[in-house]
């Protein structure tokens, strides 16, 4: 029996690991549980830019939705098969998980960072909030009603309810104004870790104001008074005044931080896209000098032929995408001076006091676009002198005049081109040839939402008038 | 554990037949195994209660009366009996069989040897010869169809993994693989394949680590199916256990030497490869003149001298009809140095289509083993070399195994046993899987031009050593658009890997007294693995890449066990154990990948990275998990007729938080009643009913409690991202409850035996990363959510229709039917996606359905079950995704025939599966690109080629009805391969995903083995003790299947995502011969 006892003693000696020892084994020694806020802001920003700029058909098809480009061989996306390609899932997941959630965590990290001054905390939180507002607006403008007030709560709320899109807009406007106003341009923000403005808080303030303008203008058809007050706030606060203010990311040009287009257009070795006839035909008719900047002259000098939208159109024989956009370090630009000028033109046309006329901002917008793409001032002046372009003589009502030029100027910003088309009903887009599916006015909700958040999904679907690609958003009433 | 045997048979004697009164005498004899070697330690018993044990040569001597039935039993061998007649010398030959045995000694959980008749749960034993008969790289593949309720699915790639599932899937996202235990050492059976690999997005299948086990070292293999059988393994064993006992030292005079040599050659089964159409060549559609279409034939572009130029960039076969008189500039005219440079060649189907790449594989397996023993101990050493030269160019696997097993009696009371197996595994040129350029079948099944001749591609590569692809971008830009030259891929973009592994244990048994002993055991399974991947500069879509993967994985188990074995009264026996176990698992992994390409082409090194390595290129994973457990088990036997077993175990796991719950308890109880004890003399030789109930608790993997951020490549400072899968500190243990009933019988002089089980297994509180609305910030969150029920029937039946001195015919059947139902997921969630797969489908768990349904758009049916077409004549698709398939079979089974005549024996196994579905991404794309020889190239109802335009009488009327219920009469254009006129493929608005879901039923002739044992008389005067030769065949014939152009069993890899094919590899039919010699 002594030996048995000896055995048992051995057993308990071996068994003497405490619960504490065991618990410690569960903390991953190679990956952080806490990081500085700036890490997450950079993570969220790079994700957002990548998602809005890439032309990977699994990630961003907005250039097809707004018919700047056409696919050469595999035309599912061109024909708006959002469901079959799970386009909505991919977009919704990315913006919620890798942009908004990262930013909301960043905000918490700022709160608990003892190394920051109060003023710095306020500035950092304002930046984070403006970035969130921007991403939220993108989501609402894509889907309509979305989970907002109950979202981003992890396991505390697995089935967030959907909020009314208009109500979300009102809150976003409130947040944009408050955060812009909180920014103290003389205090520090994220400093050198700020990959957009390199710590220049005055530019963040301008960004906040421009964002207000963007929120306000979108509402003009449904809530003119809120639109007006928001736009007024934006103008008073000070929107972008030059290209130097643009919300731009300068890619170092080494993977993974390259121009996202380079991945799909060059690195892949594939030839998936050509210019769409929708934009090429219009530019040809306007004799637009930006064609040589937007596209290659692969068919001969001055010859531009777009692929018939929605049909498979061979890479050879059609106008191809500009080499500028293929450059590995071509910067990514989202909200910019050009867009701001066009929004102001639109605001003026709608009768809001924004310190200029529709025509003056229209001209400024076109000039800004020419400047951005590297055309000369003389080219811009000559272009504007054409009766088909000049504000006074261009065809159609103000919506068509501004809409056509705004849309052209938004080339390479597919999402904004789509916004212009929906808000101003101009230009006229084509029906895709293969299927004649109508151009989407929104994305349908993700398949995952239908499966995983069904009750709330059903409510939202009926609230917006049906979960269809052709359901119009609340602000898209005219 | 051999020592336990003697005690064992004190408990459970085998009493068959009736006895006659007669004079007692001394009966002697020799017990031999199938090789004619003496079997030591066999138990010889008479009906009058005498017992003897054979000596090292297999000799015994026992007192018996005439008419006594004498039974002989030895571990791992079926028992035999004889009736004592007038003579006094009886030799008994115990031939191993592969069919179910109802009696005899079996090794159960923790290596405890038990008499099978006393067990209250189902086990099924397979002889080692079954798994070594056909040389295989993975022993598990030999178990297909052999064991009721064990479902083996080989992924089909060279050296690939095998899915081993017992009684269905019981965890939603956790491991469902059976635990493999070798001589008491649990074996790490992970694949460590990437997530992309298991979901069909490319990568290599490195095989499961249990494939390191050398089939030639396996003595017996016992499958423990239910929770009651495996409860002592704790949660490790909850998916069932495959207990492997390796061969041990035979008690020989001197050293026994055995030599086995086998060679097999394998060729691809044509029925599992595409059949290519030979009517149309490259292209998706006719080109307009603006697109460069030739005015005389728009399927070609215009080349120098107004020549026809093939559409190189179009990876489809929906182009111009073949015509030998048509001269066309094809890919081979683009490259200087090729024989056809600058020349047009006839427009004809390729002589050597892609099926020509599947050459002959050869596998050589050579084993030499030496064994010996004396009265104090024994040993066996074996060395095996397994060399496979794969079916594809530049592919090979090498494995060397050195194993040692020995035991030694240190004193009368203390015995030491040790086993160690060293395995070195090397692979080169494994074949890529899934939707990836490294898998040649992606292009060959989905995106292909039927005019491309593979021999010419081979010549092009070897002449230039460049990536000369048929898929040139254009006449002027000859870099490949999507697809590399196949030979470039094989010789330049190959991977290699190696694994060095040490597995084994050392144990000490101390016999305290004649009924009490103490065992201490340390077992280990440690390996180091290296994987290297390359993509050469010049490959499509890449600037070159090198991947370096290195990991060390270890599992160490420490066991202490107290054993009680006591005859309490004449009729009551007690067999009990109590023990403690500590398991320590460690893993340390580094993965580095070059960034932005390779600076020096051909130099594969992380230091040759074009850009510096960042957080995005480096991945490290390190961790330790510990689980300690204590258990007690007791078995009582009454009158050799009733047996009652109970066990209880508690585990504490480091993977759970002590503040919530990290310890869990679970019991089991089982009983059996050998009712044949009451029916002696009837036609029933043996009969037993059994029942059991067991619970098993389970923990989770390490690091499922706390979220960590992923560090990205720095950008003006650090960058980090939140995980998409959220962890949860509040996880509690999972639970599984199972009950089981069974009946085992042997009748008509053991000519008919069967074993039937019914089980019902419920798993609750499954720790599952539950898919959630990503508006929560995560795509999935770990929760205790998910209940599943598996219930089913397993049956095996053996019939011996003929049995005579020279001729025996034995028929074995086995059958299993499992029904799975997901009964609960997280609150508000009724579908959990296991994987979102290319092709717009997902595989997941849905409440009220079986685990593993396939969801996607379905057909729309009318009330009579007809498919409904829309106004355009195309099938309508359901408005949203719906259930379109189920990966689980309805039932599976096998029939094995063994016929022996004198020294010749023939056995063949036919196995089958009914039901189960598989989605084919191959036909989803391949039917659109028109490469298959089927309805996409045939004639329509008008007798015209379907590919003619509608104006030219082409097109098809799809079988079905219109929305108004009348038969469909709308002819659909089928003239293009890109969605503007093709009702079969993947494009929008055309066929629902359900069109590519196939019934995975099959009937296969799986194995045939023909063996000849050289008669002993020819060997008498030689130094050879035994010699046998065999001819073997495996995967010989798929007798029936419904999946076109592939094997219904082909899959991605072992894991929970089954029922999906993408770039499926063919089945390899193997034929071989083997020689076994004993000296």
């Amino acid at each position: 029996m002594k030996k048995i006892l000896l055995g048992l003693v051995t057993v308990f000696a071996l068994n003497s690991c405490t619960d504490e020892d065991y618990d410690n084994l569960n903390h991953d020694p190679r990956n952080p549980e806490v990081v500085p806020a700036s890490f997450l802001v950079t993570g969220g920003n790079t994700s957002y830019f990548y998602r809005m700029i890439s032309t990977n058909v699994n990630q961003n098809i907005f250039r097809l939705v707004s018919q700047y480009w056409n696919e050469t061989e595999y035309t599912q996306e061109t024909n708006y098969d959002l469901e079959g390609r799970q386009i909505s899932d991919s977009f919704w997941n990315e913006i919620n998980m890798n942009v908004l959630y990262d930013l909301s965590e960043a905000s918490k990290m700022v709160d608990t960072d003892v190394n920051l001054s109060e003023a710095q905390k306020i500035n950092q939180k304002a930046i984070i909030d403006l970035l969130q507002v921007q991403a939220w607006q993108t989501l609402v403008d894509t889907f309509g009603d979305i989970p907002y007030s109950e979202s981003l709560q992890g396991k505390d709320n697995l089935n967030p309810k959907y909020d009314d899109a208009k109500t979300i807009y009102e809150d976003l406007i409130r947040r944009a104004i408050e955060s812009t106003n909180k920014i103290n341009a003389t205090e520090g923000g994220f400093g050198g870790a700020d990959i957009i403005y390199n710590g220049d808080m005055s530019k963040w303030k301008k960004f906040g104001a421009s964002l207000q303008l963007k929120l306000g203008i979108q509402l003009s058809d449904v809530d003119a008074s809120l639109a007006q007050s928001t736009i007024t706030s934006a103008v008073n606060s000070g929107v972008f005044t030059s290209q130097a203010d643009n919300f731009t990311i300068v890619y170092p040009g080494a993977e993974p931080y390259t121009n996202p287009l380079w991945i799909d257009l060059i690195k892949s070795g594939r030839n998936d896209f050509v210019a769409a006839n929708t934009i090429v035909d219009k530019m040809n008719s306007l004799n637009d000098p930006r064609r040589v900047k937007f596209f290659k002259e692969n068919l001969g000098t001055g010859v531009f032929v777009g692929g018939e939208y929605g049909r498979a159109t061979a890479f050879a024989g059609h106008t191809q995408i500009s080499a500028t956009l293929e450059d590995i370090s071509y910067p990514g630009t989202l909200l910019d001076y050009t867009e701001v000028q066009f929004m102001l033109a639109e605001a003026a046309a709608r009768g809001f006091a924004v310190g200029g006329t529709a025509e003056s901002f229209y001209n400024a917008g076109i000039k800004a676009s020419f400047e951005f793409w590297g055309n000369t001032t003389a080219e811009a002046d000559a272009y504007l002198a054409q009766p088909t372009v000049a504000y006074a003589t261009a065809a159609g009502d103000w919506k068509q005049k501004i809409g056509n030029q705004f849309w052209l100027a938004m080339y390479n910003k597919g999402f904004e081109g789509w916004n212009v088309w929906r808000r101003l009903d101009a230009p006229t887009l084509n029906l895709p040839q293969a299927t004649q599916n109508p151009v989407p006015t929104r994305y349908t909700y993700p398949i995952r939402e239908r499966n995983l958040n069904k009750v709330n999904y059903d409510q939202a679907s009926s609230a917006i008038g049906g979960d269809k690609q052709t359901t119009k958003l609340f602000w898209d009433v005219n | 554990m051999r020592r336990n045997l003697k005690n064992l048979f004190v408990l459970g004697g085998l009493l068959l037949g009736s006895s006659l009164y007669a004079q007692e005498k001394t009966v002697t004899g020799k017990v031999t195994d199938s090789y004619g070697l003496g079997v030591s330690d066999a138990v010889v018993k008479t009906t009058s209660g005498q017992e003897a044990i054979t000596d090292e040569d297999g000799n015994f001597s026992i007192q018996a009366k005439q008419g006594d039935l004498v039974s002989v039993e030895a571990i791992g061998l079926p028992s035999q009996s004889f009736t004592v007649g007038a003579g006094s010398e009886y030799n008994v030959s115990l031939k191993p069989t592969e069919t179910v045995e109802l009696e005899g000694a079996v090794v159960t959980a923790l290596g405890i040897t038990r008499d099978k008749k006393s067990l209250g749960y189902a086990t099924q034993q397979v002889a080692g010869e079954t798994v070594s008969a056909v040389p295989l790289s993975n022993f598990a593949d030999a178990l297909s169809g052999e064991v009721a309720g064990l479902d083996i699915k080989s992924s089909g790639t060279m050296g690939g993994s095998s899915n081993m599932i017992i009684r269905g899937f019981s965890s939603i996202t956790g491991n469902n693989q059976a635990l493999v235990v070798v001589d008491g050492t649990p074996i790490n059976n992970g694949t460590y394949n990437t997530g992309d690999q298991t979901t069909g997005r490319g990568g290599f299948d490195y095989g499961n680590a249990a494939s390191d086990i050398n089939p030639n070292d396996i003595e017996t293999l016992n499958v423990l199916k239910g929770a009651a059988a495996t409860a002592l393994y704790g949660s490790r064993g909850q998916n069932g256990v495959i207990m492997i006992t390796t061969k041990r030292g035979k008690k020989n005079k001197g050293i026994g030497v055995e030599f086995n040599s086998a060679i097999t050659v394998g060729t691809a089964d044509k029925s599992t490869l595409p059949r290519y159409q030979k009517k149309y060549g490259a292209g998706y559609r006719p080109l307009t003149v603006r697109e460069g279409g030739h005015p005389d034939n728009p399927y070609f572009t215009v080349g120098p001298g107004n020549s026809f130029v093939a559409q190189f960039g179009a990876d489809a076969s929906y182009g111009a009809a073949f015509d030998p008189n048509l001269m066309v500039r094809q890919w081979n005219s683009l490259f200087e140095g090729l024989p056809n440079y600058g020349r047009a060649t006839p427009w004809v189907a390729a002589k050597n289509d892609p099926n020509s790449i599947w050459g002959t594989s050869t596998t050589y397996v050579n084993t030499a083993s030496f064994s010996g023993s004396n009265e104090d101990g024994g040993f066996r050493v074996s060395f095996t070399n397994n060399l496979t030269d794969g079916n594809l160019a530049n592919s090979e696997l090498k494995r060397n195994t050195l194993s040692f097993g020995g035991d030694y009696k240190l004193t009368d009371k203390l015995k030491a046993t040790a086993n160690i197996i060293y395995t070195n595994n090397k692979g080169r040129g494994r074949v890529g899987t899934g939707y990836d350029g490294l898998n040649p079948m992606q292009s060959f099944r989905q995106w292909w031009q039927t005019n491309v001749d593979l021999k010419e591609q081979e010549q092009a590569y070897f002449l230039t050593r460049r990536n000369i692809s048929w898929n040139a971008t254009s006449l002027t830009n000859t870099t490949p658009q999507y697809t590399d030259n196949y030979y470039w891929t094989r010789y330049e973009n190959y991977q290699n890997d190696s694994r060095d592994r040490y597995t084994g244990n050392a144990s000490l048994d101390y016999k305290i007294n004649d009924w009490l002993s103490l065992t201490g055991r340390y077992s280990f399974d440690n390996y180091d693995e290296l994987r290297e991947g390359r993509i050469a500069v010049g490959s499509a879509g890449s600037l070159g890449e090198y991947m370096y993967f290195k990991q060390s994985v270890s599992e160490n188990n420490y066991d202490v066990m107290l054993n009680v074995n006591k005859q309490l009264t004449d009729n009551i026996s007690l067999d009990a154990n109590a023990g403690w176990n500590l398991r320590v698992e460690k893993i340390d992994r580094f993965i580095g990948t070059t960034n932005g390409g390779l600076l020096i082409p051909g130099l594969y090194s992380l230091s040759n990275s074009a850009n510096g390595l960042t957080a995005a290129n480096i991945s490290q994973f390190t961790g330790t998990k510990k689980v300690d457990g204590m258990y007690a088990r007791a078995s009582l036997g009454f009158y050799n007729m009733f047996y009652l077993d109970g066990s209880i175990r508690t585990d504490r796991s480091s993977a759970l938080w002590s503040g919530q719950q990290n310890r869990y308890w679970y019991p089991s109880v089982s009983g059996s009643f050998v009712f044949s004890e009451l029916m002696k003399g009837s036609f029933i030789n043996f009969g037993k009913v059994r029942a059991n109930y067991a619970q098993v608790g389970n923990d989770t993997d390490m690091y499922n409690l706390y979220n960590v951020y992923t560090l990205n490549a720095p950008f003006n400072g650090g960058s980090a991202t939140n995980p998409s899968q959220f962890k949860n500190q509040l996880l509690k243990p999972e639970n599984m409850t199972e009950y089981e009933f069974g009946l085992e019988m042997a009748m008509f002089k053991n000519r008919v035996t069967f074993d039937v089980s019914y089980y019902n297994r419920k798993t609750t509180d499954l720790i599952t990363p539950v898919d959630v609305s990503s508006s929560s910030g995560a795509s999935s969150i770990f929760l205790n959510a998910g209940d599943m029920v598996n219930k089913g029937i397993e049956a095996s039946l053996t019939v011996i229709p003929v049995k005579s001195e020279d001729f025996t015919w034995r028929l074995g059947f086995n059958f299993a039917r499992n029904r799975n139902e997901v009964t609960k997921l997280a609150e508000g969630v009724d579908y959990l996606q296991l994987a979102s797969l290319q092709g717009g489908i997902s595989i997941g768990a849905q409440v009220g359905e079986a685990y593993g349904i396939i969801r996607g758009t379905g057909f729309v049916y009318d009330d009579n079950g007809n498919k409904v077409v829309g106004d355009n004549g195309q099938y309508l698709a359901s408005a949203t995704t719906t259930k379109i398939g189920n990966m689980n079979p309805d039932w599976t089974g096998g029939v094995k025939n063994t016929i022996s005549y004198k020294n010749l024996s023939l056995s063949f196994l036919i196995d089958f599966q009914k039901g189960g579905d598989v989605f084919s991404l191959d036909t989803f794309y391949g039917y659109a690109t028109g490469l298959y020889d089927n309805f996409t190239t045939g004639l329509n109802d008008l007798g015209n080629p379907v590919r003619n335009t509608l104006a030219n009488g082409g097109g098809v009327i799809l079988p079905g009805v219109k929305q108004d219920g009348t038969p469909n009469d709308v002819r659909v254009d089928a003239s293009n391969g890109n969605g503007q006129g093709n009702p079969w493929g993947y494009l929008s608005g055309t066929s629902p995903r359900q069109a590519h879901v196939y019934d995975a039923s099959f009937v296969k002739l799986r194995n045939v083995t023909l063996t000849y044992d050289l008669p002993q008389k020819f060997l008498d005067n030689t130094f050879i003790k035994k010699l046998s030769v065999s001819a073997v065949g495996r995967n010989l014939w798929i007798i029936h299947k419904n999946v076109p152009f592939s094997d219904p069993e082909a899959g991605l890899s072992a894991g929970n995502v089954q029922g999906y094919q993408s770039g499926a590899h063919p089945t390899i039919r193997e034929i071989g011969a083997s020689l076994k010699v004993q000296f």
Side-chain angles (χ1 to χ4, degrees), chain B residues 69 198 501 534 542 584 619 630 722 725 752 810 862 903 911 914-915 970:
Chain B
L69 191 75
T198 57
R501 183 171 194 160
R534 304 166 182 74
S542 176
V584 182
S619 149
M630 282 182 282
N722 217 69
Q725 187 170 78
V752 177
R810 178 189 285 264
D862 71 2
N903 289 14
D911 74 336
K914 173 77 178 72
V970 184

Side-chain angles (χ1 to χ4, degrees), chain B residues 45-59:
Chain B
K45 290 187 0 174
T46 70
T47 33
S48 38
Q50 294 292 324
E51 185 187 323
I53 308 288
T54 57
D55 69 8
E56 62 193 45
D57 295 321
N59 297 318

